[in-house]
mmCIF file of all heavy atoms in Angstrom:
data_model
loop_
_atom_site.group_PDB
_atom_site.id
_atom_site.type_symbol
_atom_site.label_atom_id
_atom_site.label_comp_id
_atom_site.label_asym_id
_atom_site.label_seq_id
_atom_site.Cartn_x
_atom_site.Cartn_y
_atom_site.Cartn_z
ATOM 1 N N LEU O 119 9.443 11.308 -1.738
ATOM 2 C CA LEU O 119 8.095 11.679 -2.162
ATOM 3 C C LEU O 119 7.065 10.742 -1.531
ATOM 4 O O LEU O 119 6.058 11.187 -0.990
ATOM 5 C CB LEU O 119 7.972 11.636 -3.678
ATOM 6 C CG LEU O 119 8.866 12.574 -4.496
ATOM 7 C CD1 LEU O 119 8.461 12.534 -5.967
ATOM 8 C CD2 LEU O 119 8.803 13.998 -3.974
ATOM 9 N N THR O 120 7.334 9.436 -1.611
ATOM 10 C CA THR O 120 6.353 8.440 -1.188
ATOM 11 C C THR O 120 6.911 7.589 -0.053
ATOM 12 O O THR O 120 8.066 7.158 -0.103
ATOM 13 C CB THR O 120 5.959 7.533 -2.361
ATOM 14 O OG1 THR O 120 5.534 8.344 -3.467
ATOM 15 C CG2 THR O 120 4.822 6.596 -1.985
ATOM 16 N N PHE O 121 6.067 7.357 0.940
ATOM 17 C CA PHE O 121 6.430 6.527 2.089
ATOM 18 C C PHE O 121 5.723 5.179 1.960
ATOM 19 O O PHE O 121 4.510 5.127 1.741
ATOM 20 C CB PHE O 121 6.027 7.214 3.390
ATOM 21 C CG PHE O 121 6.785 8.490 3.650
ATOM 22 C CD1 PHE O 121 6.395 9.685 3.064
ATOM 23 C CD2 PHE O 121 7.901 8.502 4.477
ATOM 24 C CE1 PHE O 121 7.089 10.864 3.286
ATOM 25 C CE2 PHE O 121 8.614 9.674 4.717
ATOM 26 C CZ PHE O 121 8.202 10.858 4.115
ATOM 27 N N HIS O 122 6.488 4.103 2.111
ATOM 28 C CA HIS O 122 5.957 2.747 1.955
ATOM 29 C C HIS O 122 6.102 2.004 3.289
ATOM 30 O O HIS O 122 7.112 1.320 3.526
ATOM 31 C CB HIS O 122 6.707 2.000 0.854
ATOM 32 C CG HIS O 122 6.537 2.587 -0.514
ATOM 33 N ND1 HIS O 122 5.555 2.171 -1.381
ATOM 34 C CD2 HIS O 122 7.228 3.567 -1.157
ATOM 35 C CE1 HIS O 122 5.641 2.858 -2.511
ATOM 36 N NE2 HIS O 122 6.642 3.716 -2.399
ATOM 37 N N PRO O 123 5.110 2.093 4.167
ATOM 38 C CA PRO O 123 5.219 1.417 5.460
ATOM 39 C C PRO O 123 4.854 -0.053 5.376
ATOM 40 O O PRO O 123 3.952 -0.445 4.636
ATOM 41 C CB PRO O 123 4.202 2.173 6.315
ATOM 42 C CG PRO O 123 3.147 2.597 5.339
ATOM 43 C CD PRO O 123 3.880 2.909 4.065
ATOM 44 N N TRP O 124 5.561 -0.859 6.139
ATOM 45 C CA TRP O 124 5.171 -2.254 6.297
ATOM 46 C C TRP O 124 3.854 -2.301 7.074
ATOM 47 O O TRP O 124 3.546 -1.378 7.848
ATOM 48 C CB TRP O 124 6.246 -3.011 7.077
ATOM 49 C CG TRP O 124 7.444 -3.419 6.268
ATOM 50 C CD1 TRP O 124 8.163 -2.623 5.421
ATOM 51 C CD2 TRP O 124 8.064 -4.704 6.254
ATOM 52 N NE1 TRP O 124 9.201 -3.343 4.881
ATOM 53 C CE2 TRP O 124 9.171 -4.622 5.382
ATOM 54 C CE3 TRP O 124 7.805 -5.914 6.901
ATOM 55 C CZ2 TRP O 124 10.004 -5.712 5.136
ATOM 56 C CZ3 TRP O 124 8.640 -7.004 6.659
ATOM 57 C CH2 TRP O 124 9.721 -6.900 5.777
ATOM 58 N N PRO O 125 3.090 -3.401 6.937
ATOM 59 C CA PRO O 125 1.825 -3.509 7.674
ATOM 60 C C PRO O 125 2.025 -4.061 9.081
ATOM 61 O O PRO O 125 1.206 -4.835 9.587
ATOM 62 C CB PRO O 125 1.017 -4.478 6.803
ATOM 63 C CG PRO O 125 2.047 -5.386 6.234
ATOM 64 C CD PRO O 125 3.263 -4.518 5.984
ATOM 65 N N VAL O 126 3.161 -3.712 9.699
ATOM 66 C CA VAL O 126 3.490 -4.192 11.038
ATOM 67 C C VAL O 126 3.980 -3.010 11.875
ATOM 68 O O VAL O 126 4.328 -1.959 11.343
ATOM 69 C CB VAL O 126 4.589 -5.279 11.007
ATOM 70 C CG1 VAL O 126 4.168 -6.477 10.158
ATOM 71 C CG2 VAL O 126 5.916 -4.715 10.486
ATOM 72 N N ARG O 127 4.038 -3.214 13.180
ATOM 73 C CA ARG O 127 4.648 -2.242 14.089
ATOM 74 C C ARG O 127 6.015 -2.775 14.518
ATOM 75 O O ARG O 127 6.274 -3.978 14.475
ATOM 76 C CB ARG O 127 3.779 -2.046 15.327
ATOM 77 C CG ARG O 127 2.327 -1.734 15.031
ATOM 78 C CD ARG O 127 2.077 -0.315 14.591
ATOM 79 N NE ARG O 127 0.652 -0.093 14.338
ATOM 80 C CZ ARG O 127 0.110 1.099 14.123
ATOM 81 N NH1 ARG O 127 0.873 2.179 14.103
ATOM 82 N NH2 ARG O 127 -1.186 1.220 13.897
ATOM 83 N N ARG O 128 6.874 -1.863 14.945
ATOM 84 C CA ARG O 128 8.249 -2.263 15.252
ATOM 85 C C ARG O 128 8.353 -3.221 16.426
ATOM 86 O O ARG O 128 9.370 -3.890 16.594
ATOM 87 C CB ARG O 128 9.120 -1.026 15.497
ATOM 88 C CG ARG O 128 8.709 -0.127 16.639
ATOM 89 C CD ARG O 128 9.500 1.170 16.607
ATOM 90 N NE ARG O 128 9.015 2.151 17.559
ATOM 91 C CZ ARG O 128 9.671 2.524 18.653
ATOM 92 N NH1 ARG O 128 10.830 1.983 18.943
ATOM 93 N NH2 ARG O 128 9.165 3.444 19.456
ATOM 94 N N THR O 129 7.306 -3.330 17.240
ATOM 95 C CA THR O 129 7.337 -4.266 18.358
ATOM 96 C C THR O 129 6.932 -5.682 17.962
ATOM 97 O O THR O 129 7.180 -6.625 18.708
ATOM 98 C CB THR O 129 6.409 -3.787 19.488
ATOM 99 O OG1 THR O 129 5.108 -3.562 18.947
ATOM 100 C CG2 THR O 129 6.940 -2.487 20.099
ATOM 101 N N ARG O 130 6.289 -5.833 16.753
ATOM 102 C CA ARG O 130 5.855 -7.168 16.291
ATOM 103 C C ARG O 130 6.031 -7.235 14.777
ATOM 104 O O ARG O 130 5.053 -7.225 14.027
ATOM 105 C CB ARG O 130 4.407 -7.443 16.680
ATOM 106 C CG ARG O 130 4.139 -7.419 18.181
ATOM 107 C CD ARG O 130 2.824 -8.112 18.531
ATOM 108 N NE ARG O 130 2.920 -9.559 18.328
ATOM 109 C CZ ARG O 130 1.919 -10.419 18.572
ATOM 110 N NH1 ARG O 130 0.754 -9.960 19.005
ATOM 111 N NH2 ARG O 130 2.080 -11.715 18.381
ATOM 112 N N VAL O 131 7.269 -7.322 14.342
ATOM 113 C CA VAL O 131 7.561 -7.176 12.919
ATOM 114 C C VAL O 131 7.159 -8.376 12.074
ATOM 115 O O VAL O 131 7.189 -8.304 10.843
ATOM 116 C CB VAL O 131 9.056 -6.851 12.694
ATOM 117 C CG1 VAL O 131 9.412 -5.505 13.298
ATOM 118 C CG2 VAL O 131 9.943 -7.957 13.270
ATOM 119 N N ASP O 132 6.793 -9.489 12.698
ATOM 120 C CA ASP O 132 6.397 -10.670 11.925
ATOM 121 C C ASP O 132 4.891 -10.905 11.934
ATOM 122 O O ASP O 132 4.420 -11.924 11.419
ATOM 123 C CB ASP O 132 7.103 -11.917 12.479
ATOM 124 C CG ASP O 132 8.605 -11.866 12.249
ATOM 125 O OD1 ASP O 132 9.027 -11.443 11.151
ATOM 126 O OD2 ASP O 132 9.367 -12.232 13.168
ATOM 127 N N HIS O 133 4.139 -9.954 12.492
ATOM 128 C CA HIS O 133 2.693 -10.126 12.609
ATOM 129 C C HIS O 133 1.970 -8.863 12.136
ATOM 130 O O HIS O 133 1.853 -7.886 12.879
ATOM 131 C CB HIS O 133 2.310 -10.455 14.054
ATOM 132 C CG HIS O 133 2.858 -11.762 14.522
ATOM 133 N ND1 HIS O 133 2.251 -12.972 14.241
ATOM 134 C CD2 HIS O 133 3.989 -12.065 15.217
ATOM 135 C CE1 HIS O 133 2.975 -13.948 14.755
ATOM 136 N NE2 HIS O 133 4.028 -13.433 15.346
ATOM 137 N N PRO O 134 1.485 -8.874 10.892
ATOM 138 C CA PRO O 134 0.791 -7.695 10.351
ATOM 139 C C PRO O 134 -0.418 -7.304 11.190
ATOM 140 O O PRO O 134 -1.100 -8.165 11.769
ATOM 141 C CB PRO O 134 0.360 -8.157 8.954
ATOM 142 C CG PRO O 134 1.317 -9.257 8.599
ATOM 143 C CD PRO O 134 1.608 -9.959 9.905
ATOM 144 N N ASP O 135 -0.666 -6.003 11.232
ATOM 145 C CA ASP O 135 -1.870 -5.510 11.897
ATOM 146 C C ASP O 135 -2.799 -4.794 10.915
ATOM 147 O O ASP O 135 -3.724 -4.104 11.312
ATOM 148 C CB ASP O 135 -1.537 -4.593 13.079
ATOM 149 C CG ASP O 135 -0.886 -3.279 12.663
ATOM 150 O OD1 ASP O 135 -0.525 -3.129 11.474
ATOM 151 O OD2 ASP O 135 -0.733 -2.394 13.536
ATOM 152 N N GLU O 136 -2.536 -4.990 9.613
ATOM 153 C CA GLU O 136 -3.430 -4.482 8.572
ATOM 154 C C GLU O 136 -3.517 -5.487 7.433
ATOM 155 O O GLU O 136 -2.493 -6.050 7.012
ATOM 156 C CB GLU O 136 -2.941 -3.139 8.014
ATOM 157 C CG GLU O 136 -3.126 -1.965 8.950
ATOM 158 C CD GLU O 136 -2.643 -0.665 8.356
ATOM 159 O OE1 GLU O 136 -1.925 -0.673 7.335
ATOM 160 O OE2 GLU O 136 -2.973 0.399 8.929
ATOM 161 N N LEU O 137 -4.728 -5.707 6.953
ATOM 162 C CA LEU O 137 -4.966 -6.413 5.693
ATOM 163 C C LEU O 137 -5.170 -5.339 4.641
ATOM 164 O O LEU O 137 -6.104 -4.530 4.746
ATOM 165 C CB LEU O 137 -6.206 -7.292 5.796
ATOM 166 C CG LEU O 137 -6.760 -7.874 4.480
ATOM 167 C CD1 LEU O 137 -5.765 -8.832 3.844
ATOM 168 C CD2 LEU O 137 -8.101 -8.555 4.721
ATOM 169 N N ARG O 138 -4.297 -5.294 3.656
ATOM 170 C CA ARG O 138 -4.336 -4.226 2.659
ATOM 171 C C ARG O 138 -4.764 -4.809 1.313
ATOM 172 O O ARG O 138 -4.109 -5.693 0.772
ATOM 173 C CB ARG O 138 -2.963 -3.561 2.545
ATOM 174 C CG ARG O 138 -2.506 -2.907 3.847
ATOM 175 C CD ARG O 138 -1.074 -2.428 3.773
ATOM 176 N NE ARG O 138 -0.701 -1.677 4.974
ATOM 177 C CZ ARG O 138 0.518 -1.172 5.186
ATOM 178 N NH1 ARG O 138 1.474 -1.358 4.282
ATOM 179 N NH2 ARG O 138 0.772 -0.500 6.295
ATOM 180 N N ILE O 139 -5.855 -4.275 0.779
ATOM 181 C CA ILE O 139 -6.396 -4.738 -0.499
ATOM 182 C C ILE O 139 -6.123 -3.680 -1.560
ATOM 183 O O ILE O 139 -6.541 -2.524 -1.423
ATOM 184 C CB ILE O 139 -7.911 -4.998 -0.407
ATOM 185 C CG1 ILE O 139 -8.227 -5.962 0.741
ATOM 186 C CG2 ILE O 139 -8.436 -5.516 -1.736
ATOM 187 C CD1 ILE O 139 -7.678 -7.348 0.566
ATOM 188 N N ASP O 140 -5.413 -4.087 -2.608
ATOM 189 C CA ASP O 140 -5.039 -3.194 -3.704
ATOM 190 C C ASP O 140 -5.914 -3.520 -4.913
ATOM 191 O O ASP O 140 -5.834 -4.620 -5.465
ATOM 192 C CB ASP O 140 -3.563 -3.397 -4.031
ATOM 193 C CG ASP O 140 -3.073 -2.513 -5.176
ATOM 194 O OD1 ASP O 140 -3.827 -1.629 -5.616
ATOM 195 O OD2 ASP O 140 -1.923 -2.712 -5.625
ATOM 196 N N LEU O 141 -6.763 -2.576 -5.323
ATOM 197 C CA LEU O 141 -7.631 -2.730 -6.490
ATOM 198 C C LEU O 141 -6.992 -1.970 -7.644
ATOM 199 O O LEU O 141 -7.042 -0.738 -7.702
ATOM 200 C CB LEU O 141 -9.032 -2.209 -6.174
ATOM 201 C CG LEU O 141 -9.757 -2.940 -5.031
ATOM 202 C CD1 LEU O 141 -11.063 -2.222 -4.673
ATOM 203 C CD2 LEU O 141 -10.028 -4.395 -5.399
ATOM 204 N N ASP O 142 -6.397 -2.701 -8.552
ATOM 205 C CA ASP O 142 -5.537 -2.127 -9.581
ATOM 206 C C ASP O 142 -6.209 -2.205 -10.956
ATOM 207 O O ASP O 142 -6.339 -3.298 -11.523
ATOM 208 C CB ASP O 142 -4.219 -2.901 -9.588
ATOM 209 C CG ASP O 142 -3.195 -2.340 -10.551
ATOM 210 O OD1 ASP O 142 -3.405 -1.226 -11.067
ATOM 211 O OD2 ASP O 142 -2.181 -3.019 -10.804
ATOM 212 N N PRO O 143 -6.629 -1.079 -11.527
ATOM 213 C CA PRO O 143 -7.253 -1.102 -12.855
ATOM 214 C C PRO O 143 -6.275 -1.577 -13.927
ATOM 215 O O PRO O 143 -5.148 -1.100 -14.017
ATOM 216 C CB PRO O 143 -7.653 0.364 -13.091
ATOM 217 C CG PRO O 143 -7.765 0.951 -11.721
ATOM 218 C CD PRO O 143 -6.684 0.267 -10.922
ATOM 219 N N GLN O 144 -6.737 -2.501 -14.741
ATOM 220 C CA GLN O 144 -5.956 -2.986 -15.874
ATOM 221 C C GLN O 144 -6.340 -2.195 -17.127
ATOM 222 O O GLN O 144 -7.337 -1.473 -17.135
ATOM 223 C CB GLN O 144 -6.219 -4.478 -16.071
ATOM 224 C CG GLN O 144 -5.828 -5.311 -14.861
ATOM 225 C CD GLN O 144 -4.371 -5.148 -14.479
ATOM 226 O OE1 GLN O 144 -3.473 -5.610 -15.177
ATOM 227 N NE2 GLN O 144 -4.107 -4.471 -13.350
#
Side-chain angles (χ1 to χ4, degrees):
L119 299 188
T120 307
F121 295 83
H122 296 268
W124 281 48
V126 301
R127 308 283 181 170
R128 60 190 172 110
T129 54
R130 300 198 70 179
V131 296
D132 293 319
H133 296 278
D135 67 351
E136 287 181 346
L137 168 64
R138 298 172 174 178
I139 306 295
D140 180 8
L141 299 172
D142 184 11
Q144 299 302 289

